[in-house]
Amino acid sequence: VTAEPFPAFDHRPQGMWRYRSLLPIGDGPIRYPLPVGGSPLTGPAVLRDRLGLPDLWVKDETVGTSGSNKDRATALVIEDGLRSGATTITTASTGNAAVATALGAAAAGIRAVIFVPAGCAEAKVAVMRSAGALVLRVVDGYRAAFELSRAAARHFGWLDRNTGVNPLTLHAKKTVAFEIWEQLGRAVPDVVVVPVGDGPTVLAMGRGFRELESLGLTNRVPRLIGVQASGCQPLAREWHGRPDSPVRHSGTIADGIDVPEPISGVEALAEVARSGGAFVAVPDAAMLAAIGMLASTAGVTCEPAGAAGLAGLLKARRMGLVAAGERVVVLVTGRELVVGADVPLEGGEALIAARLDEVERYAGALA
Ligand SMILES: Cc1ncc(COP(=O)(O)O)c(C=O)c1O
């Protein structure tokens, strides 16, 4: 793989800040202290042989600080916040954006108040707390956690990192497209396969490639295939003309994409349609099989949502959506971190109803 830089950016380091002239932040030193972006794009021969896809590539977003693709948006939002003197950051999350925020905030010296659905994975809450975050588990689920986090940001004046809402999150995520283009020797693939929960990851992927097109750096954009879980597939159902309702949501082990009411759903559907791509849905068993396949043929370990892209690619092949000779990139989005049982968990944790006075009770001292 060649990694020829943008001509004007020869002196830039690897990683997300390489593209800072295409990001909405000003000049001056980057204050965000952790490495971000620059994830590997590998062409695993064993996996290629197994799938009969000789031009298959794996974009491994599990390698960063928090083990997921959420580090990029976290870094850009915190960088922006540090420039304006923010002292507390908040987000709602199914888990990974929260872990990324807790770790990024800890390193940046600001406080994190995290809103998760009550059923958020214990292992992820433990990582957040080990980083000192206050974790508020909202009984009414993820959408309520999202609304409450936004209301709290407004009420207390906290930095709002909520996905798809803060436009910086999309700008940060588009850098994955820039990296893929550079890593393929300044060329775009035919297809990119992306797990989809709230929608910003696939939306920003499309926007990133379209930005390259508008800069005259490519004359076409890849087809985007969005992958959802069979037990939670509002966008795949919408795509196939069978709109879902939250009531029929049976759930999935892939917590990162267990989002019955996607925040950026409309935009994600439009972006996928514009690219000439499609949505597919895969059962939990297919994601588990894909985790095993990634480990045994590509040396990549990940969680179920992280493997949804590969599971979706297998389904898309069976559906005739991807041809054998095409250049395909699969995005692997996350790997679960683990905190040892005896590690002190400094942050706090509470189960709350979706009300501001509940937030005040636990986080008021921080405001
Ligand atoms: C591992 C993993 N994959 C995919 C996604 C889906 O990303 P998005 O919500 O941007 O669609 C998430 C979101 O939490 C995730 O944690």
Side-chain angles (χ1 to χ4, degrees):
V1 178
T2 55
E4 195 184 335
F6 289 119
F9 297 165
D10 280 355
H11 59 291
R12 297 285 187 201
Q14 293 299 321
M16 188 175 84
W17 307 119
R18 179 178 184 76
Y19 310 108
R20 66 180 290 178
S21 64
L22 301 175
L23 298 172
I25 52 160
D27 298 334
I30 297 292
R31 297 166 175 78
Y32 187 72
L34 299 173
V36 56
S39 64
L41 183 78
T42 62
V46 184
L47 181 59
R48 286 173 164 182
D49 286 350
R50 175 82 68 89
L51 300 187
L53 289 171
D55 206 0
L56 174 65
W57 300 85
V58 173
K59 180 67 170 164
D60 183 3
E61 285 279 280
T62 71
V63 297
T65 299
S66 74
S68 88
N69 67 329
K70 311 297 181 182
D71 285 336
R72 293 178 193 259
T74 301
L76 187 57
V77 172
I78 290 181
E79 175 61 30
D80 186 59
L82 290 174
R83 287 167 183 240
S84 57
T87 54
T88 300
I89 185 170
T90 185
T91 193
S93 165
T94 53
N96 287 335
V99 169
T101 302
L103 293 169
I110 64 177
R111 289 166 297 202
V113 181
I114 303 296
F115 296 80
V116 295
C120 183
E122 296 298 340
K124 291 183 180 177
V125 173
V127 179
M128 295 168 218
R129 288 192 53 192
S130 74
L134 173 63
V135 183
L136 299 176
R137 295 172 174 267
V138 181
V139 286
D140 316 270
Y142 173 58
R143 186 75 195 203
F146 169 78
E147 305 292 353
L148 187 58
S149 173
R150 298 219 61 210
R154 284 192 295 271
H155 184 77
F156 296 113
W158 294 340
L159 184 59
D160 185 345
R161 184 237 179 266
N162 277 296
T163 192
V165 170
N166 185 327
L168 294 178
T169 60
L170 290 172
H171 280 289
K173 289 179 175 203
K174 77 186 180 188
T175 61
V176 181
F178 299 165
E179 284 178 13
I180 291 170
W181 175 81
E182 269 203 286
Q183 289 169 314
L184 288 175
R186 300 167 65 100
V188 299
D190 297 305
V191 178
V192 182
V193 192
V194 182
V196 178
D198 272 314
T201 301
V202 74
L203 173 59
M205 183 74 76
R207 288 192 182 170
F209 284 114
R210 285 200 286 114
E211 191 165 335
L212 291 175
E213 189 180 36
S214 69
L215 290 167
L217 294 167
T218 172
N219 54 16
R220 66 189 183 91
V221 297
R223 305 196 309 280
L224 302 172
I225 296 185
V227 185
Q228 298 217 281
S230 302
C232 181
Q233 48 167 315
L235 300 180
R237 281 184 179 275
E238 185 88 34
W239 181 264
H240 295 287
R242 288 175 279 134
D244 202 0
S245 77
V247 182
R248 289 168 51 206
H249 160 254
S250 60
T252 167
I253 55 168
D255 54 359
I257 57 173
D258 193 6
V259 182
E261 297 174 82
I263 286 150
S264 303
V266 173
E267 297 94 328
L269 280 162
E271 192 69 39
V272 168
R274 180 174 188 158
S275 77
F279 277 89
V280 298
V282 293
D284 287 357
M287 289 185 257
L288 292 173
I291 290 175
M293 190 180 283
L294 280 165
S296 63
T297 65
V300 172
T301 55
C302 63
E303 62 184 73
L310 179 60
L313 173 60
L314 297 177
K315 176 137 185 206
R317 284 279 290 142
R318 289 196 299 277
M319 293 169 71
L321 296 171
V322 177
E326 292 196 287
R327 176 170 284 188
V328 181
V329 174
V330 171
L331 191 70
V332 182
T333 44
R335 159 178 67 85
E336 200 164 59
L337 305 185
V338 177
V339 175
D342 299 325
V343 173
L345 302 181
E346 300 199 356
E349 180 180 345
L351 182 68
I352 65 167
R355 295 199 320 261
L356 262 183
D357 61 315
E358 289 272 86
V359 182
E360 179 100 55
R361 179 165 155 218
Y362 292 101
L366 302 179

